Amino acid sequence: LAKTRNDQRTLNINVILNAVGQNIANNSGTFNCAAGAIPTTTPQIIGSSTYDIYDCLVPEFMSSIPVDPTTGTTGTSSANYNTGYNIVQNSTTSQITIYALGAELGETITVTR
């Protein structure tokens, strides 16, 4: 089951990263969000009490925001959710990385674009 959960984590962070990329593409190369720019120095958990980008992605780029299968908390709006995934942008290359904090089996699950 841990392998299945890790596969779900990989899928989830790809879905979120695709939605972030669509937001950027629709806004002339800039992530447009009331939460501000994607953090460049300290990774932030994507969640309502940390880096709240729910309304910047849902419903325009995804129907709901996916969450980690064991550590995430699903919310029906931006008021109460915690994906369990961190996001950070490299200030030199502008690449965005999302990674799963709760990966199992000693795996490191990250996606960078």
Side-chain angles (χ1 to χ4, degrees):
L1 292 176
K3 174 72 171 121
T4 300
R5 287 189 297 269
N6 279 346
D7 291 345
Q8 185 64 52
R9 290 176 177 103
T10 301
L11 176 66
N12 288 352
I13 61 178
N14 272 293
V15 167
I16 295 170
L17 195 52
N18 287 339
V20 168
Q22 290 173 334
N23 177 300
I24 291 168
N26 283 8
N27 292 288
S28 304
T30 302
F31 186 62
N32 184 20
C33 188
I38 296 169
T40 57
T41 54
T42 304
Q44 293 289 311
I45 295 174
I46 302 168
S48 58
S49 64
T50 49
Y51 184 55
D52 184 5
I53 59 174
Y54 187 100
D55 290 334
C56 307
L57 304 178
V58 177
E60 187 172 357
F61 304 111
M62 58 176 52
S63 59
S64 64
I65 198 156
V67 301
D68 185 275
T70 57
T71 64
T73 305
T74 303
T76 56
S77 70
S78 63
N80 184 23
Y81 76 100
N82 178 340
T83 63
Y85 305 124
N86 267 4
I87 188 168
V88 67
Q89 185 169 24
N90 184 304
S91 59
T92 304
T93 65
S94 296
Q95 289 185 308
I96 299 167
T97 299
I98 299 179
Y99 57 95
L101 300 172
E104 298 171 80
L105 303 174
E107 289 186 36
T108 300
I109 301 173
T110 66
V111 177
T112 300
R113 288 192 203 119

PDB file of all heavy atoms in Angstrom, residues 79-113:
ATOM      1  N   ALA A  79     -10.493  27.836   2.728  1.00  0.00           N
ATOM      2  CA  ALA A  79     -10.556  28.075   4.165  1.00  0.00           C
ATOM      3  C   ALA A  79      -9.863  27.005   5.008  1.00  0.00           C
ATOM      4  O   ALA A  79      -9.390  27.300   6.092  1.00  0.00           O
ATOM      5  CB  ALA A  79     -12.012  28.205   4.607  1.00  0.00           C
ATOM      6  N   ASN A  80      -9.799  25.771   4.523  1.00  0.00           N
ATOM      7  CA  ASN A  80      -9.278  24.722   5.382  1.00  0.00           C
ATOM      8  C   ASN A  80      -8.727  23.564   4.556  1.00  0.00           C
ATOM      9  O   ASN A  80      -9.442  22.631   4.245  1.00  0.00           O
ATOM     10  CB  ASN A  80     -10.375  24.213   6.316  1.00  0.00           C
ATOM     11  CG  ASN A  80      -9.863  23.177   7.290  1.00  0.00           C
ATOM     12  OD1 ASN A  80      -8.678  23.113   7.579  1.00  0.00           O
ATOM     13  ND2 ASN A  80     -10.749  22.357   7.797  1.00  0.00           N
ATOM     14  N   TYR A  81      -7.455  23.636   4.212  1.00  0.00           N
ATOM     15  CA  TYR A  81      -6.828  22.522   3.512  1.00  0.00           C
ATOM     16  C   TYR A  81      -5.334  22.544   3.770  1.00  0.00           C
ATOM     17  O   TYR A  81      -4.764  23.570   4.112  1.00  0.00           O
ATOM     18  CB  TYR A  81      -7.120  22.561   2.003  1.00  0.00           C
ATOM     19  CG  TYR A  81      -6.319  23.594   1.247  1.00  0.00           C
ATOM     20  CD1 TYR A  81      -5.179  23.229   0.533  1.00  0.00           C
ATOM     21  CD2 TYR A  81      -6.666  24.931   1.261  1.00  0.00           C
ATOM     22  CE1 TYR A  81      -4.422  24.177  -0.152  1.00  0.00           C
ATOM     23  CE2 TYR A  81      -5.928  25.877   0.583  1.00  0.00           C
ATOM     24  CZ  TYR A  81      -4.801  25.494  -0.124  1.00  0.00           C
ATOM     25  OH  TYR A  81      -4.051  26.437  -0.788  1.00  0.00           O
ATOM     26  N   ASN A  82      -4.719  21.400   3.631  1.00  0.00           N
ATOM     27  CA  ASN A  82      -3.273  21.265   3.735  1.00  0.00           C
ATOM     28  C   ASN A  82      -2.896  20.129   2.794  1.00  0.00           C
ATOM     29  O   ASN A  82      -3.245  18.983   3.041  1.00  0.00           O
ATOM     30  CB  ASN A  82      -2.855  20.944   5.165  1.00  0.00           C
ATOM     31  CG  ASN A  82      -1.355  20.753   5.302  1.00  0.00           C
ATOM     32  OD1 ASN A  82      -0.648  20.502   4.336  1.00  0.00           O
ATOM     33  ND2 ASN A  82      -0.870  20.866   6.512  1.00  0.00           N
ATOM     34  N   THR A  83      -2.197  20.437   1.722  1.00  0.00           N
ATOM     35  CA  THR A  83      -1.879  19.412   0.731  1.00  0.00           C
ATOM     36  C   THR A  83      -0.850  18.405   1.228  1.00  0.00           C
ATOM     37  O   THR A  83      -0.825  17.284   0.760  1.00  0.00           O
ATOM     38  CB  THR A  83      -1.338  20.040  -0.563  1.00  0.00           C
ATOM     39  OG1 THR A  83      -0.104  20.719  -0.275  1.00  0.00           O
ATOM     40  CG2 THR A  83      -2.342  20.976  -1.196  1.00  0.00           C
ATOM     41  N   GLY A  84       0.014  18.815   2.137  1.00  0.00           N
ATOM     42  CA  GLY A  84       1.121  17.960   2.535  1.00  0.00           C
ATOM     43  C   GLY A  84       2.263  18.003   1.537  1.00  0.00           C
ATOM     44  O   GLY A  84       3.179  17.191   1.600  1.00  0.00           O
ATOM     45  N   TYR A  85       2.215  18.987   0.614  1.00  0.00           N
ATOM     46  CA  TYR A  85       3.250  19.143  -0.404  1.00  0.00           C
ATOM     47  C   TYR A  85       3.885  20.523  -0.292  1.00  0.00           C
ATOM     48  O   TYR A  85       3.186  21.513  -0.094  1.00  0.00           O
ATOM     49  CB  TYR A  85       2.664  18.966  -1.813  1.00  0.00           C
ATOM     50  CG  TYR A  85       1.927  17.664  -1.992  1.00  0.00           C
ATOM     51  CD1 TYR A  85       0.612  17.630  -2.407  1.00  0.00           C
ATOM     52  CD2 TYR A  85       2.567  16.453  -1.727  1.00  0.00           C
ATOM     53  CE1 TYR A  85      -0.060  16.431  -2.569  1.00  0.00           C
ATOM     54  CE2 TYR A  85       1.889  15.241  -1.883  1.00  0.00           C
ATOM     55  CZ  TYR A  85       0.578  15.243  -2.301  1.00  0.00           C
ATOM     56  OH  TYR A  85      -0.076  14.049  -2.448  1.00  0.00           O
ATOM     57  N   ASN A  86       5.198  20.575  -0.411  1.00  0.00           N
ATOM     58  CA  ASN A  86       5.938  21.834  -0.383  1.00  0.00           C
ATOM     59  C   ASN A  86       6.169  22.342  -1.793  1.00  0.00           C
ATOM     60  O   ASN A  86       6.317  21.554  -2.728  1.00  0.00           O
ATOM     61  CB  ASN A  86       7.300  21.650   0.284  1.00  0.00           C
ATOM     62  CG  ASN A  86       7.278  21.940   1.759  1.00  0.00           C
ATOM     63  OD1 ASN A  86       6.232  22.219   2.326  1.00  0.00           O
ATOM     64  ND2 ASN A  86       8.423  21.859   2.393  1.00  0.00           N
ATOM     65  N   ILE A  87       6.277  23.667  -1.925  1.00  0.00           N
ATOM     66  CA  ILE A  87       6.570  24.296  -3.206  1.00  0.00           C
ATOM     67  C   ILE A  87       7.673  25.334  -3.012  1.00  0.00           C
ATOM     68  O   ILE A  87       7.717  26.015  -1.989  1.00  0.00           O
ATOM     69  CB  ILE A  87       5.308  24.942  -3.824  1.00  0.00           C
ATOM     70  CG1 ILE A  87       5.577  25.432  -5.262  1.00  0.00           C
ATOM     71  CG2 ILE A  87       4.770  26.060  -2.938  1.00  0.00           C
ATOM     72  CD1 ILE A  87       4.313  25.815  -6.018  1.00  0.00           C
ATOM     73  N   VAL A  88       8.557  25.424  -3.995  1.00  0.00           N
ATOM     74  CA  VAL A  88       9.621  26.422  -3.973  1.00  0.00           C
ATOM     75  C   VAL A  88      10.035  26.690  -5.417  1.00  0.00           C
ATOM     76  O   VAL A  88       9.930  25.817  -6.276  1.00  0.00           O
ATOM     77  CB  VAL A  88      10.824  25.962  -3.109  1.00  0.00           C
ATOM     78  CG1 VAL A  88      11.538  24.781  -3.723  1.00  0.00           C
ATOM     79  CG2 VAL A  88      11.765  27.111  -2.806  1.00  0.00           C
ATOM     80  N   GLN A  89      10.487  27.903  -5.677  1.00  0.00           N
ATOM     81  CA  GLN A  89      10.972  28.265  -7.008  1.00  0.00           C
ATOM     82  C   GLN A  89      12.438  28.662  -6.925  1.00  0.00           C
ATOM     83  O   GLN A  89      12.829  29.441  -6.055  1.00  0.00           O
ATOM     84  CB  GLN A  89      10.155  29.415  -7.592  1.00  0.00           C
ATOM     85  CG  GLN A  89      10.536  29.756  -9.015  1.00  0.00           C
ATOM     86  CD  GLN A  89       9.554  30.705  -9.668  1.00  0.00           C
ATOM     87  OE1 GLN A  89       8.851  31.453  -8.993  1.00  0.00           O
ATOM     88  NE2 GLN A  89       9.493  30.685 -10.982  1.00  0.00           N
ATOM     89  N   ASN A  90      13.241  28.130  -7.821  1.00  0.00           N
ATOM     90  CA  ASN A  90      14.655  28.474  -7.881  1.00  0.00           C
ATOM     91  C   ASN A  90      14.772  29.890  -8.432  1.00  0.00           C
ATOM     92  O   ASN A  90      14.321  30.166  -9.546  1.00  0.00           O
ATOM     93  CB  ASN A  90      15.400  27.478  -8.767  1.00  0.00           C
ATOM     94  CG  ASN A  90      16.884  27.723  -8.805  1.00  0.00           C
ATOM     95  OD1 ASN A  90      17.341  28.815  -9.136  1.00  0.00           O
ATOM     96  ND2 ASN A  90      17.639  26.690  -8.497  1.00  0.00           N
ATOM     97  N   SER A  91      15.367  30.798  -7.667  1.00  0.00           N
ATOM     98  CA  SER A  91      15.445  32.199  -8.084  1.00  0.00           C
ATOM     99  C   SER A  91      16.384  32.406  -9.267  1.00  0.00           C
ATOM    100  O   SER A  91      16.276  33.396  -9.979  1.00  0.00           O
ATOM    101  CB  SER A  91      15.862  33.088  -6.916  1.00  0.00           C
ATOM    102  OG  SER A  91      17.113  32.676  -6.417  1.00  0.00           O
ATOM    103  N   THR A  92      17.294  31.474  -9.505  1.00  0.00           N
ATOM    104  CA  THR A  92      18.229  31.602 -10.628  1.00  0.00           C
ATOM    105  C   THR A  92      17.637  31.039 -11.918  1.00  0.00           C
ATOM    106  O   THR A  92      17.675  31.695 -12.960  1.00  0.00           O
ATOM    107  CB  THR A  92      19.544  30.863 -10.307  1.00  0.00           C
ATOM    108  OG1 THR A  92      20.076  31.383  -9.090  1.00  0.00           O
ATOM    109  CG2 THR A  92      20.559  31.044 -11.426  1.00  0.00           C
ATOM    110  N   THR A  93      17.074  29.845 -11.841  1.00  0.00           N
ATOM    111  CA  THR A  93      16.573  29.180 -13.049  1.00  0.00           C
ATOM    112  C   THR A  93      15.072  29.363 -13.269  1.00  0.00           C
ATOM    113  O   THR A  93      14.568  29.028 -14.338  1.00  0.00           O
ATOM    114  CB  THR A  93      16.854  27.670 -12.992  1.00  0.00           C
ATOM    115  OG1 THR A  93      16.090  27.105 -11.911  1.00  0.00           O
ATOM    116  CG2 THR A  93      18.333  27.386 -12.807  1.00  0.00           C
ATOM    117  N   SER A  94      14.358  29.834 -12.254  1.00  0.00           N
ATOM    118  CA  SER A  94      12.899  29.978 -12.254  1.00  0.00           C
ATOM    119  C   SER A  94      12.160  28.643 -12.257  1.00  0.00           C
ATOM    120  O   SER A  94      10.939  28.608 -12.363  1.00  0.00           O
ATOM    121  CB  SER A  94      12.412  30.846 -13.425  1.00  0.00           C
ATOM    122  OG  SER A  94      12.905  32.148 -13.281  1.00  0.00           O
ATOM    123  N   GLN A  95      12.884  27.548 -12.142  1.00  0.00           N
ATOM    124  CA  GLN A  95      12.224  26.249 -12.073  1.00  0.00           C
ATOM    125  C   GLN A  95      11.469  26.125 -10.759  1.00  0.00           C
ATOM    126  O   GLN A  95      11.933  26.584  -9.710  1.00  0.00           O
ATOM    127  CB  GLN A  95      13.227  25.114 -12.191  1.00  0.00           C
ATOM    128  CG  GLN A  95      13.809  24.966 -13.570  1.00  0.00           C
ATOM    129  CD  GLN A  95      14.703  23.746 -13.658  1.00  0.00           C
ATOM    130  OE1 GLN A  95      15.600  23.570 -12.838  1.00  0.00           O
ATOM    131  NE2 GLN A  95      14.456  22.914 -14.646  1.00  0.00           N
ATOM    132  N   ILE A  96      10.316  25.478 -10.834  1.00  0.00           N
ATOM    133  CA  ILE A  96       9.474  25.266  -9.664  1.00  0.00           C
ATOM    134  C   ILE A  96       9.559  23.805  -9.269  1.00  0.00           C
ATOM    135  O   ILE A  96       9.479  22.917 -10.121  1.00  0.00           O
ATOM    136  CB  ILE A  96       8.014  25.663  -9.971  1.00  0.00           C
ATOM    137  CG1 ILE A  96       7.944  27.152 -10.338  1.00  0.00           C
ATOM    138  CG2 ILE A  96       7.107  25.339  -8.785  1.00  0.00           C
ATOM    139  CD1 ILE A  96       6.634  27.570 -10.945  1.00  0.00           C
ATOM    140  N   THR A  97       9.718  23.567  -7.976  1.00  0.00           N
ATOM    141  CA  THR A  97       9.771  22.205  -7.450  1.00  0.00           C
ATOM    142  C   THR A  97       8.659  22.029  -6.428  1.00  0.00           C
ATOM    143  O   THR A  97       8.454  22.879  -5.564  1.00  0.00           O
ATOM    144  CB  THR A  97      11.129  21.922  -6.779  1.00  0.00           C
ATOM    145  OG1 THR A  97      12.163  22.074  -7.756  1.00  0.00           O
ATOM    146  CG2 THR A  97      11.185  20.512  -6.201  1.00  0.00           C
ATOM    147  N   ILE A  98       7.953  20.920  -6.557  1.00  0.00           N
ATOM    148  CA  ILE A  98       6.976  20.518  -5.546  1.00  0.00           C
ATOM    149  C   ILE A  98       7.419  19.147  -5.055  1.00  0.00           C
ATOM    150  O   ILE A  98       7.796  18.286  -5.850  1.00  0.00           O
ATOM    151  CB  ILE A  98       5.549  20.465  -6.114  1.00  0.00           C
ATOM    152  CG1 ILE A  98       5.115  21.845  -6.614  1.00  0.00           C
ATOM    153  CG2 ILE A  98       4.578  19.959  -5.042  1.00  0.00           C
ATOM    154  CD1 ILE A  98       3.725  21.883  -7.222  1.00  0.00           C
ATOM    155  N   TYR A  99       7.392  18.965  -3.738  1.00  0.00           N
ATOM    156  CA  TYR A  99       7.777  17.667  -3.217  1.00  0.00           C
ATOM    157  C   TYR A  99       6.866  17.213  -2.093  1.00  0.00           C
ATOM    158  O   TYR A  99       6.252  18.023  -1.399  1.00  0.00           O
ATOM    159  CB  TYR A  99       9.251  17.618  -2.812  1.00  0.00           C
ATOM    160  CG  TYR A  99       9.699  18.636  -1.807  1.00  0.00           C
ATOM    161  CD1 TYR A  99       9.739  18.326  -0.457  1.00  0.00           C
ATOM    162  CD2 TYR A  99      10.116  19.898  -2.212  1.00  0.00           C
ATOM    163  CE1 TYR A  99      10.177  19.262   0.470  1.00  0.00           C
ATOM    164  CE2 TYR A  99      10.554  20.825  -1.295  1.00  0.00           C
ATOM    165  CZ  TYR A  99      10.584  20.510   0.044  1.00  0.00           C
ATOM    166  OH  TYR A  99      11.018  21.432   0.958  1.00  0.00           O
ATOM    167  N   ALA A 100       6.775  15.900  -1.975  1.00  0.00           N
ATOM    168  CA  ALA A 100       5.899  15.275  -0.996  1.00  0.00           C
ATOM    169  C   ALA A 100       6.630  15.094   0.318  1.00  0.00           C
ATOM    170  O   ALA A 100       7.657  14.425   0.374  1.00  0.00           O
ATOM    171  CB  ALA A 100       5.420  13.923  -1.527  1.00  0.00           C
ATOM    172  N   LEU A 101       6.092  15.677   1.357  1.00  0.00           N
ATOM    173  CA  LEU A 101       6.701  15.579   2.677  1.00  0.00           C
ATOM    174  C   LEU A 101       6.504  14.206   3.303  1.00  0.00           C
ATOM    175  O   LEU A 101       7.327  13.743   4.070  1.00  0.00           O
ATOM    176  CB  LEU A 101       6.120  16.640   3.603  1.00  0.00           C
ATOM    177  CG  LEU A 101       6.310  18.088   3.152  1.00  0.00           C
ATOM    178  CD1 LEU A 101       5.531  19.035   4.051  1.00  0.00           C
ATOM    179  CD2 LEU A 101       7.769  18.438   3.139  1.00  0.00           C
ATOM    180  N   GLY A 102       5.401  13.533   2.965  1.00  0.00           N
ATOM    181  CA  GLY A 102       5.066  12.278   3.617  1.00  0.00           C
ATOM    182  C   GLY A 102       5.440  11.039   2.826  1.00  0.00           C
ATOM    183  O   GLY A 102       4.876   9.973   3.060  1.00  0.00           O
ATOM    184  N   ALA A 103       6.376  11.154   1.881  1.00  0.00           N
ATOM    185  CA  ALA A 103       6.764   9.995   1.076  1.00  0.00           C
ATOM    186  C   ALA A 103       7.192   8.839   1.966  1.00  0.00           C
ATOM    187  O   ALA A 103       7.806   9.038   3.011  1.00  0.00           O
ATOM    188  CB  ALA A 103       7.878  10.380   0.109  1.00  0.00           C
ATOM    189  N   GLU A 104       6.848   7.653   1.529  1.00  0.00           N
ATOM    190  CA  GLU A 104       7.135   6.457   2.310  1.00  0.00           C
ATOM    191  C   GLU A 104       8.204   5.602   1.635  1.00  0.00           C
ATOM    192  O   GLU A 104       8.640   5.895   0.531  1.00  0.00           O
ATOM    193  CB  GLU A 104       5.842   5.650   2.474  1.00  0.00           C
ATOM    194  CG  GLU A 104       4.764   6.429   3.226  1.00  0.00           C
ATOM    195  CD  GLU A 104       3.433   5.733   3.210  1.00  0.00           C
ATOM    196  OE1 GLU A 104       3.256   4.799   4.024  1.00  0.00           O
ATOM    197  OE2 GLU A 104       2.583   6.108   2.388  1.00  0.00           O
ATOM    198  N   LEU A 105       8.638   4.561   2.310  1.00  0.00           N
ATOM    199  CA  LEU A 105       9.614   3.583   1.819  1.00  0.00           C
ATOM    200  C   LEU A 105      10.974   4.208   1.549  1.00  0.00           C
ATOM    201  O   LEU A 105      11.734   3.743   0.701  1.00  0.00           O
ATOM    202  CB  LEU A 105       9.091   2.888   0.550  1.00  0.00           C
ATOM    203  CG  LEU A 105       7.748   2.172   0.672  1.00  0.00           C
ATOM    204  CD1 LEU A 105       7.287   1.675  -0.683  1.00  0.00           C
ATOM    205  CD2 LEU A 105       7.861   1.033   1.671  1.00  0.00           C
ATOM    206  N   GLY A 106      11.266   5.309   2.243  1.00  0.00           N
ATOM    207  CA  GLY A 106      12.548   5.981   2.076  1.00  0.00           C
ATOM    208  C   GLY A 106      12.685   6.739   0.768  1.00  0.00           C
ATOM    209  O   GLY A 106      13.777   7.181   0.425  1.00  0.00           O
ATOM    210  N   GLU A 107      11.594   6.884   0.039  1.00  0.00           N
ATOM    211  CA  GLU A 107      11.638   7.590  -1.240  1.00  0.00           C
ATOM    212  C   GLU A 107      11.603   9.104  -1.043  1.00  0.00           C
ATOM    213  O   GLU A 107      11.054   9.611  -0.063  1.00  0.00           O
ATOM    214  CB  GLU A 107      10.439   7.197  -2.110  1.00  0.00           C
ATOM    215  CG  GLU A 107      10.508   5.792  -2.646  1.00  0.00           C
ATOM    216  CD  GLU A 107       9.382   5.491  -3.623  1.00  0.00           C
ATOM    217  OE1 GLU A 107       8.992   6.399  -4.392  1.00  0.00           O
ATOM    218  OE2 GLU A 107       8.911   4.353  -3.619  1.00  0.00           O
ATOM    219  N   THR A 108      12.206   9.800  -1.988  1.00  0.00           N
ATOM    220  CA  THR A 108      12.082  11.251  -2.094  1.00  0.00           C
ATOM    221  C   THR A 108      11.271  11.492  -3.354  1.00  0.00           C
ATOM    222  O   THR A 108      11.675  11.078  -4.450  1.00  0.00           O
ATOM    223  CB  THR A 108      13.459  11.915  -2.210  1.00  0.00           C
ATOM    224  OG1 THR A 108      14.220  11.581  -1.040  1.00  0.00           O
ATOM    225  CG2 THR A 108      13.331  13.414  -2.339  1.00  0.00           C
ATOM    226  N   ILE A 109      10.130  12.137  -3.194  1.00  0.00           N
ATOM    227  CA  ILE A 109       9.247  12.366  -4.341  1.00  0.00           C
ATOM    228  C   ILE A 109       9.228  13.855  -4.642  1.00  0.00           C
ATOM    229  O   ILE A 109       8.718  14.653  -3.838  1.00  0.00           O
ATOM    230  CB  ILE A 109       7.829  11.835  -4.078  1.00  0.00           C
ATOM    231  CG1 ILE A 109       7.893  10.338  -3.791  1.00  0.00           C
ATOM    232  CG2 ILE A 109       6.916  12.135  -5.254  1.00  0.00           C
ATOM    233  CD1 ILE A 109       6.582   9.735  -3.353  1.00  0.00           C
ATOM    234  N   THR A 110       9.804  14.229  -5.779  1.00  0.00           N
ATOM    235  CA  THR A 110       9.826  15.623  -6.209  1.00  0.00           C
ATOM    236  C   THR A 110       9.557  15.693  -7.709  1.00  0.00           C
ATOM    237  O   THR A 110       9.856  14.746  -8.446  1.00  0.00           O
ATOM    238  CB  THR A 110      11.175  16.305  -5.937  1.00  0.00           C
ATOM    239  OG1 THR A 110      12.176  15.689  -6.750  1.00  0.00           O
ATOM    240  CG2 THR A 110      11.571  16.239  -4.489  1.00  0.00           C
ATOM    241  N   VAL A 111       9.011  16.806  -8.123  1.00  0.00           N
ATOM    242  CA  VAL A 111       8.875  17.107  -9.545  1.00  0.00           C
ATOM    243  C   VAL A 111       9.329  18.547  -9.724  1.00  0.00           C
ATOM    244  O   VAL A 111       8.917  19.431  -8.976  1.00  0.00           O
ATOM    245  CB  VAL A 111       7.430  16.915 -10.044  1.00  0.00           C
ATOM    246  CG1 VAL A 111       7.315  17.319 -11.509  1.00  0.00           C
ATOM    247  CG2 VAL A 111       6.977  15.493  -9.859  1.00  0.00           C
ATOM    248  N   THR A 112      10.189  18.769 -10.710  1.00  0.00           N
ATOM    249  CA  THR A 112      10.713  20.093 -10.991  1.00  0.00           C
ATOM    250  C   THR A 112      10.484  20.416 -12.459  1.00  0.00           C
ATOM    251  O   THR A 112      10.749  19.602 -13.327  1.00  0.00           O
ATOM    252  CB  THR A 112      12.223  20.167 -10.691  1.00  0.00           C
ATOM    253  OG1 THR A 112      12.424  19.866  -9.300  1.00  0.00           O
ATOM    254  CG2 THR A 112      12.796  21.551 -10.992  1.00  0.00           C
ATOM    255  N   ARG A 113      10.009  21.619 -12.712  1.00  0.00           N
ATOM    256  CA  ARG A 113       9.869  22.123 -14.087  1.00  0.00           C
ATOM    257  C   ARG A 113      10.200  23.586 -14.100  1.00  0.00           C
ATOM    258  O   ARG A 113       9.925  24.315 -13.212  1.00  0.00           O
ATOM    259  CB  ARG A 113       8.440  21.961 -14.605  1.00  0.00           C
ATOM    260  CG  ARG A 113       8.088  20.554 -14.906  1.00  0.00           C
ATOM    261  CD  ARG A 113       6.790  20.482 -15.670  1.00  0.00           C
ATOM    262  NE  ARG A 113       6.256  19.165 -15.445  1.00  0.00           N
ATOM    263  CZ  ARG A 113       5.092  18.899 -14.870  1.00  0.00           C
ATOM    264  NH1 ARG A 113       4.296  19.863 -14.520  1.00  0.00           N
ATOM    265  NH2 ARG A 113       4.724  17.673 -14.679  1.00  0.00           N
TER     266      ARG A 113
END
